[in-house]
Amino acid sequence: MTDAIVVGAGLSGLVAACELTAAGRHVSVLDQEPEQSLGGQAHWSLGGLFFINSPEQRRLRIRDSMELARQDWLGAAGFDRPEDHWPRLWAEAYLQFAAGEKRAWLHSMGVRWFPVVGWAERGRNSVPRFHVTWGTGPAVLAPFIARARKAEQDGLLTFRFRHRLDELVVERTAVVGVRGSVLAPSKVGRGMPSNREVVADFELRASAVIIASGGVGGDHDLVRRQWPATLGTAPGSMVCGVPASTDGRALAMVARAGGRIINGDRMWHYTEGVRNWNPVWTNHGIRILPGPSSLWLDATGTRLPAPLFPGFDTLETLRHIRRTEFDYTWFILNQHIIRKEFALSGSEQNPDLTGRNIRLVLGRAVGKRAMAPIEAFKDHGADFVVRNSLRELVDGMNAMPDTQPLDFGAIDQLVRSYDEQVTSPDATDAQVLAIRAARQGYFGDRLVRVASPRPILDPGAGPLIAVKLHVLTRKSLGGCETDLNARVLSADGTPITGLHAVGESAGFGGGGVHGYRALEGTFLGGCLFSGRVAGRAAAESAR
């Protein structure tokens, strides 16, 4: 007998399943991917979590508060639609969770955090709030996988991998189960494309069904169809920050069952994507988390305007790039900058943090070389050009396929003008002033994030580096409209009996808890919070 069915074995689905089994409910967890992909996208994440007024913040003398966080969240979200009613309520509930029991709840399960709090996007966060988990994404998943495996041993949980949802079973307006296809076994590695060969059908019934299947970022045609008009035309070329299995299929099933899908045009894509030289999935992209010192140029070689500096405001930068009608931009920097300021998003790109290796972490602060994964991208990445002179660098940029020709004279003048500002005590350049403010302000920036100012053409700071940057698809900010019990709502605003949605499938809560913009560190947190809410609510309804 199954009391509840969870569709999706990622973080939000695992959290929901754990809450159900903790209440003594029997749960079936379905996932179309093989067992080796247990944990979904969270496994690949950097493990960043958004806390408010945490002990880590206080130790670094960061003054945060619920009021300041609410101000930042609402300012970033820009809620302006009638359908933002539930997302607003979810935002308030999540802020209370992030300022309250979230950290203690995770800490009680053994989760710990790197002591330096990150300031991943300072254009929207007034203070640093990006707490990187010690062990990154796998360490966020670990306690929930352990709890789920224990429930499996106790006979309360059944994993059904290679089970794809094809239909929600609806009787008298209530969702009472699922139908789908059993896919052929697959031995592909985690995240790699698996076959879609159907070998059988299945049907399961339960009093509660929880949709935890993710968003649409793996289907670029669907991303383009939902692209917001306010961002101009969708890029013709993008790289993919999520596996192809993030395909939005389950959202279509919810809509057919009468559930309301809202804010489909709200999405979160990064502007600093590079093609993975060692890809796991098709068109695999990795995001650069940049410090503020690289020169950012559009496809024609024109510098991006203030305040669109690296690491400041993702959505506004994307909006500006789409106005140029080109699909890519450039960073120009040097070894001095890349060593201190480049981080790559992803557990596999941060072996020191993922492996909890203090010696490797300390190695970030010494020597001339960057971390090994970054040096590997320099050596092998198709989007990296490394040269000893600016003329050679521009020639290398011009030799890249599918690029606009750049004028060396214009680039030379731009870089030299910037370098003069870097060395001038009376600098007026807004980016240079922002770099100085960062180094004079937050200690964590000076320690691990912002390079000491040196000219890009400084012979001792080389070699010179150019990076071709692509738009990288990542998260859907819209999804199933849900009430504060994570129950999916119908078009008339009433809950659909037996149906819940969590994580990215629900826009991380309510159908779009982030509004138009997501503050960094809130995706994993949204999965944790919505999964917990849904699991507890479904456990009550399954009584």
Side-chain angles (χ1 to χ4, degrees):
M1 182 192 76
T2 296
D3 296 313
I5 298 165
V6 177
V7 181
L11 178 60
S12 61
L14 287 170
V15 173
C18 289
E19 293 296 327
L20 281 155
T21 58
R25 307 293 179 261
H26 290 78
V27 183
S28 288
V29 179
L30 281 56
D31 200 291
Q32 66 182 352
E33 295 310 302
E35 185 170 1
Q36 49 269 33
S37 287
L38 176 63
Q41 296 175 50
H43 173 86
W44 303 102
S45 77
L46 191 57
L49 292 171
F50 176 98
F51 295 130
I52 300 168
N53 192 26
S54 69
E56 290 79 13
Q57 288 175 303
R58 293 194 295 271
R59 279 194 289 268
L60 293 168
R61 299 182 181 178
I62 297 167
R63 295 184 177 180
D64 199 7
S65 67
M66 180 67 176
E67 293 73 22
L68 183 60
R70 182 185 291 113
Q71 174 184 306
D72 287 348
W73 191 292
L74 295 178
F79 294 125
D80 61 358
R81 297 173 175 176
E83 54 266 44
D84 285 332
H85 169 73
W86 288 108
R88 282 178 182 270
L89 294 178
W90 269 90
E92 180 63 29
Y94 178 71
L95 287 167
Q96 295 287 348
F97 178 61
E101 62 181 309
K102 176 183 176 184
R103 186 184 180 281
W105 178 59
L106 292 170
H107 193 277
S108 71
M109 290 184 272
V111 184
R112 300 293 184 268
W113 297 274
F114 188 62
V116 179
V117 183
W119 206 344
E121 192 178 59
R122 67 187 60 243
R124 294 293 171 182
N125 281 297
S126 297
V127 297
R129 298 192 179 100
F130 191 69
H131 297 68
V132 175
T133 301
W134 188 232
T136 66
V140 178
L141 281 166
F144 301 102
I145 291 177
R147 289 173 63 190
R149 290 300 193 188
K150 177 63 167 57
E152 185 181 31
Q153 292 174 4
D154 294 343
L156 288 172
L157 185 149
T158 301
F159 281 113
R160 300 176 186 269
F161 297 103
R162 305 299 285 155
H163 281 59
R164 183 183 69 191
L165 174 69
D166 293 332
E167 181 184 3
L168 292 169
V169 180
V170 181
E171 294 180 355
R172 293 189 294 275
T173 73
V175 171
V176 297
V178 298
R179 296 190 185 98
S181 302
V182 180
L183 305 178
S186 174
K187 294 182 179 180
V188 299
R190 177 185 290 275
M192 296 178 66
S194 59
N195 71 70
R196 291 295 180 261
E197 178 188 351
V198 176
V199 297
D201 298 327
F202 74 91
E203 180 172 332
L204 291 172
R205 292 192 166 231
S207 60
V209 175
I210 299 176
I211 302 298
S213 57
V216 306
D219 184 338
H220 284 189
D221 289 336
L222 188 53
V223 168
R224 291 187 184 96
R225 287 200 297 272
Q226 296 183 179
W227 191 264
T230 55
L231 293 181
T233 58
S237 173
M238 298 179 282
V239 294
C240 202
V242 295
S245 56
T246 310
D247 55 15
R249 288 186 81 256
L251 296 177
M253 314 298 165
V254 171
R256 285 204 288 272
R260 188 180 184 211
I261 311 299
I262 62 174
N263 297 319
D265 63 333
R266 290 179 180 169
M267 50 189 73
W268 193 250
H269 307 311
Y270 290 108
T271 54
E272 312 97 336
V274 292
R275 292 170 287 177
N276 193 345
W277 67 272
N278 188 23
V280 175
W281 52 80
T282 304
N283 194 25
H284 187 177
I286 296 292
R287 185 203 174 190
I288 296 170
L289 287 78
S293 301
S294 299
L295 268 180
W296 204 341
L297 314 180
D298 68 18
T300 69
T302 302
R303 191 174 171 189
L304 268 61
L308 304 184
F309 312 132
F312 272 69
D313 192 321
T314 295
L315 187 66
E316 290 308 312
T317 303
L318 178 58
R319 196 189 313 277
H320 174 81
I321 291 169
R322 295 312 307 143
R323 290 195 193 108
T324 72
E325 298 186 355
F326 293 102
D327 295 343
Y328 68 94
T329 56
W330 293 102
F331 276 165
I332 290 181
L333 62 153
N334 56 29
Q335 182 67 24
H336 174 70
I337 293 172
I338 201 171
R339 186 195 71 78
K340 187 70 169 279
E341 295 197 2
F342 267 35
L344 298 172
S345 181
S347 56
E348 80 284 13
Q349 303 297 335
N350 293 273
D352 55 342
L353 296 171
T354 302
R356 310 183 204 203
N357 189 315
I358 295 175
R359 181 182 61 82
L360 285 179
V361 171
L362 294 175
R364 290 182 181 232
V366 298
K368 189 175 181 180
R369 290 177 63 81
M371 288 290 293
I374 295 170
E375 292 292 340
F377 268 84
K378 271 179 55 189
D379 293 340
H380 306 295
D383 295 312
F384 283 70
V385 181
V386 183
R387 299 290 188 272
N388 290 319
S389 74
L390 187 60
R391 182 172 289 279
E392 291 173 320
L393 189 75
V394 174
D395 287 345
M397 295 164 73
N398 283 333
M400 295 270 278
D402 302 317
T403 58
Q404 292 292 305
L406 299 170
D407 178 69
F408 169 72
I411 300 297
D412 181 68
Q413 182 178 3
L414 188 154
V415 173
R416 292 184 185 280
S417 175
Y418 178 75
D419 281 357
E420 288 176 4
Q421 288 285 296
V422 168
T423 57
S424 172
D426 301 316
T428 57
D429 183 275
Q431 184 174 354
V432 172
L433 295 177
I435 294 166
R436 291 179 181 177
R439 286 190 58 83
Q440 293 167 5
Y442 174 47
F443 167 74
D445 277 345
R446 189 166 64 254
L447 180 66
V448 298
R449 195 71 180 130
V450 183
S452 57
R454 292 176 67 177
I456 289 177
L457 298 181
D458 182 340
L464 298 175
I465 303 162
V467 187
K468 183 182 179 184
L469 305 170
H470 309 263
V471 175
L472 179 141
T473 60
R474 184 56 64 86
K475 296 296 181 186
S476 304
L477 298 188
C480 303
E481 186 177 30
T482 61
D483 66 11
L484 287 179
N485 285 317
R487 297 180 298 179
V488 177
L489 304 179
S490 62
D492 65 5
T494 59
I496 296 177
T497 301
L499 185 60
H500 298 74
V502 297
E504 194 175 356
S505 298
F508 301 94
V513 69
H514 298 99
Y516 290 95
R517 298 175 180 85
L519 298 183
E520 296 289 353
T522 59
F523 293 141
L524 291 179
C527 290
L528 292 165
F529 182 55
S530 62
R532 196 173 88 143
V533 167
R536 293 181 178 184
E540 284 294 315
S541 66
R543 279 181 150 177

